[in-house]
Amino acid sequence: MKKIISSILCISLLASIFCVPVSATTEEIGSSDISGFINGINELTQKYDADKDFEVTSDNIQSESISDDASLYYSASSVSENETDDVPELDFQTCRLIVQSDIDFNNYGAVEVVSGFKNFHILQYNTEDDTKNAYKNLLNDPYIVSIDIDAVISVDSVETTSATSEETTYTQEDFYNCWSLNATGMDKVLEYYNDKQFPEIIVGVIDSGVNYNHELFEGRLIRTHFNSSGEDDPNDEYDKSGHGTAVTSCIVKTTPSNVKIANYRIFNSKGKASESALCAGFLKAIDDGMKILNASIGFGADGAAFQLAVLKYAEDNNAFIICGAGNGASNIDVSFAANYINTSDDVCSVGASTKQNLPAYFTNYGKRVDIVAPGLDVVSADKDGSYSLFSGTSASTPYMTGVFTTLTCVYPDLSTEEKMRMIKASSTEISEPYIKYCFETGVIDCLALFNFEKLKPVEISLDAGVYEGPVTVELFAEEGYEIYYTMDQTYPSPTNG
């Protein structure tokens, strides 16, 4: 397994004599253990974020958006003193900074501090000006390993179609007959394995929570009572956004009934969260023992030290993270998340495909996208208890999570690396010659992955070409088989063929 090698600057104990201690008026609400650190972050978000109307701008870290590669990170060790006279125009709306230091330091007026994970300290300030001034001063502190803004992140921005629209109403039958299952053959796989007895596997979902009262989730959820969004009851993961409910339903759709889902709410009702809330969700899920984590969100800041440390913590605890490649139609080979993915076998990046098994128009691409899965107009559950269409790598990510988890049920002794090799090797090559070179592998193919026999291709009486006037076309298949076809380039099935 590839590992990240970090270079650490050792400082003599004598150097600590010159360090200014933390202000005596600062309230320390965290503790040295991870549980206390997580609880401290949750207390900060509850106390300071509940009444804030966060906005995601082009300067913010955005998950699943066109700004996935936006950079907000400044390393104190790489910025000289004369470069810090003008603080860059960054977004301080959370009034929080994330600082890494293994010795006491001057926090320049933080009203509260949460500490306890890998020498990270979450500094809370009263105003944005206070935060900006502290940021400027901390950049000049030689004992600060890293300093990062606790930036606002957001769920993806791909439009979905609500079931309440006048045009279409979707049902549970539509949900289970969705093209995504048939196009990849996952419907045949689940039909075969649904009556098999597998041990329980729990998948952790880091998102906006879940509507645990939805009919679809009966017997499929493990309550976490975790909510770091700063909104509503901190012990209730009920979904007010809808994103987490849709994501969870896509995992239910692609797994047998022994698979349960544990939801960790980090996003508020508007689909916004802070970086610290995101990382608290990951830390809680990892400490709860989750070995498969779905994060239908991207990791935004280029080199954000806190995010890197959390991802490394997941790797050290054998937790496999499946995340979205993003919806910016951009090359992610140069982004932070992909750079981490390229150094770790414990993070998977998922692109989105269409009914034609081609990459969706919005999906990010690059050689560091590990696999492509259905992600356009996928029928999913929604927060209102009904069903609607769901699009984005937020939809393709849980599809991959479900397939990976089902593969784990069938082959429990295989390593993560072995299962990923199987998924990539069995994928269907992207047919468009100018597109396939933009991806490391192709579209997920569940029939090939689970060694199910594929139907032989249909023989056609005419050669491919352009014909004028009426023509007669004959289709031939082996005896005992039925032929389904469509005229609109969609994947043919018994429901639409």
Side-chain angles (χ1 to χ4, degrees):
M1 181 178 291
K2 293 172 274 186
K3 299 287 184 181
I4 295 177
I5 301 177
S6 300
S7 216
I8 303 175
L9 177 64
C10 294
I11 302 173
S12 168
L13 290 175
L14 293 175
S16 63
I17 297 174
F18 304 101
C19 180
V20 182
V22 177
S23 170
T25 60
T26 300
E27 184 180 354
E28 191 90 16
I29 63 173
S31 71
S32 59
D33 66 293
I34 290 182
S35 177
F37 184 73
I38 295 168
N39 292 336
I41 291 176
N42 288 355
E43 287 181 34
L44 286 184
T45 60
Q46 280 290 127
K47 185 174 181 180
Y48 294 96
D49 295 355
D51 297 327
K52 291 182 179 178
D53 188 13
F54 289 137
E55 293 294 333
V56 177
T57 68
S58 59
D59 290 328
N60 282 30
I61 300 174
Q62 292 192 38
S63 65
E64 296 277 292
S65 72
I66 60 173
S67 296
D68 277 347
D69 58 352
S71 173
L72 288 180
Y73 175 72
Y74 258 52
S75 171
S77 61
S78 64
V79 182
S80 63
E81 185 172 347
N82 59 5
E83 287 179 308
T84 62
D85 291 337
D86 296 317
V87 176
E89 288 302 317
L90 301 178
D91 199 333
F92 295 94
Q93 61 183 311
T94 63
C95 297
R96 280 193 297 272
L97 299 176
I98 303 172
V99 173
Q100 187 179 23
S101 178
D102 56 359
I103 59 176
D104 287 343
F105 61 94
N106 189 338
N107 60 48
Y108 296 97
V111 292
E112 295 192 42
V113 177
V114 174
S115 304
F117 171 71
K118 305 287 187 182
N119 294 317
F120 281 98
H121 311 272
I122 315 299
L123 312 183
Q124 181 72 55
Y125 297 88
N126 276 325
T127 68
E128 292 188 33
D129 285 341
D130 290 346
T131 315
K132 185 174 182 178
N133 290 333
Y135 182 84
K136 179 178 178 179
N137 286 313
L138 287 165
L139 284 175
N140 287 313
D141 191 327
Y143 304 115
I144 300 299
V145 177
S146 68
I147 178 171
D148 191 18
I149 293 169
D150 192 5
V152 177
I153 60 176
S154 173
V155 297
D156 71 54
S157 58
V158 175
E159 296 279 332
T160 59
T161 302
S162 172
T164 58
S165 69
E166 297 180 359
E167 298 179 0
T168 309
T169 299
Y170 299 95
T171 65
Q172 189 174 103
E173 183 179 1
D174 296 322
F175 175 83
Y176 282 113
N177 289 324
C178 182
W179 70 268
S180 59
L181 290 176
N182 189 265
T184 62
M186 194 59 186
D187 54 346
K188 304 297 189 296
V189 173
L190 291 175
E191 183 180 339
Y192 179 79
Y193 284 119
N194 261 335
D195 60 349
K196 303 294 187 292
Q197 297 297 316
F198 296 116
E200 182 179 86
I201 294 179
I202 305 176
V203 176
V205 174
I206 315 297
D207 213 288
S208 63
V210 65
N211 176 358
Y212 42 71
N213 296 320
H214 199 291
E215 62 176 0
L216 190 68
F217 301 134
E218 185 176 355
R220 297 301 300 271
L221 301 181
I222 302 293
R223 292 292 306 277
T224 66
H225 304 282
F226 181 87
N227 175 11
S228 63
S229 71
E231 187 178 77
D232 306 316
D233 185 344
N235 299 309
D236 190 350
E237 71 275 27
Y238 191 84
D239 185 10
K240 295 289 186 70
S241 163
H243 191 267
T245 298
V247 166
T248 303
S249 71
C250 291
I251 298 175
V252 168
K253 181 189 296 185
T254 50
T255 55
S257 59
N258 66 293
V259 175
K260 313 300 182 186
I261 298 98
N263 296 85
Y264 298 83
R265 182 181 174 186
I266 66 161
F267 289 112
N268 63 21
S269 58
K270 295 183 178 180
K272 305 294 191 300
S274 65
E275 180 187 338
S276 60
L278 166 69
C279 292
F282 271 107
L283 291 175
K284 175 61 175 171
I286 296 165
D287 267 25
D288 283 348
M290 301 297 123
K291 299 304 180 185
I292 302 175
L293 292 171
N294 186 99
S296 290
I297 49 183
F299 297 92
D302 190 6
F306 191 28
Q307 291 184 18
L308 277 173
V310 171
L311 292 174
K312 188 64 169 62
Y313 184 69
E315 179 180 304
D316 292 342
N317 285 274
N318 299 313
F320 184 52
I321 298 175
I322 302 171
C323 65
N327 301 326
S330 303
N331 187 342
I332 68 166
D333 284 350
V334 297
S335 76
F336 153 68
N339 278 312
Y340 182 86
I341 291 165
N342 198 40
T343 63
S344 173
D345 292 320
D346 290 292
V347 183
C348 171
S349 177
V350 187
S353 64
T354 67
K355 296 178 182 179
Q356 293 78 31
N357 273 356
L358 293 174
Y361 68 91
F362 51 78
T363 186
N364 283 344
Y365 57 89
K367 296 299 183 181
R368 293 169 185 168
V369 175
D370 291 286
I371 196 71
V372 183
L376 179 64
D377 291 341
V378 174
V379 181
S380 66
D382 67 30
K383 65 182 178 67
D384 299 322
S386 54
Y387 299 87
S388 59
L389 294 184
F390 188 38
S391 294
T393 56
S394 282
S396 58
T397 299
Y399 194 97
M400 166 60 184
T401 298
V403 172
F404 181 87
T405 305
T406 302
L407 193 64
T408 302
C409 295
V410 178
Y411 301 107
D413 296 328
L414 291 182
S415 67
T416 295
E417 294 86 348
E418 289 171 323
K419 285 178 282 191
M420 283 304 300
R421 281 198 295 269
M422 289 176 63
I423 291 171
K424 291 180 180 181
S426 62
S427 64
T428 300
E429 184 178 79
I430 295 169
S431 58
E432 292 290 337
Y434 298 106
I435 299 178
K436 69 179 182 180
Y437 297 111
C438 296
F439 293 87
E440 177 67 20
T441 55
V443 180
I444 201 165
D445 185 339
C446 299
L447 293 179
L449 175 62
F450 290 91
N451 296 312
F452 277 60
E453 181 183 359
K454 286 190 174 183
L455 299 180
K456 294 182 179 180
V458 174
E459 295 181 10
I460 303 176
S461 62
L462 292 179
D463 293 330
V466 179
Y467 295 86
E468 293 185 6
V471 294
T472 300
V473 180
E474 293 181 296
L475 308 177
F476 302 94
E478 290 185 7
E479 185 176 353
Y481 287 97
E482 294 179 331
I483 298 174
Y484 294 94
Y485 68 91
T486 58
M487 303 294 288
D488 59 359
Q489 296 187 334
T490 59
Y491 195 94
S493 70
T495 57
N496 73 335

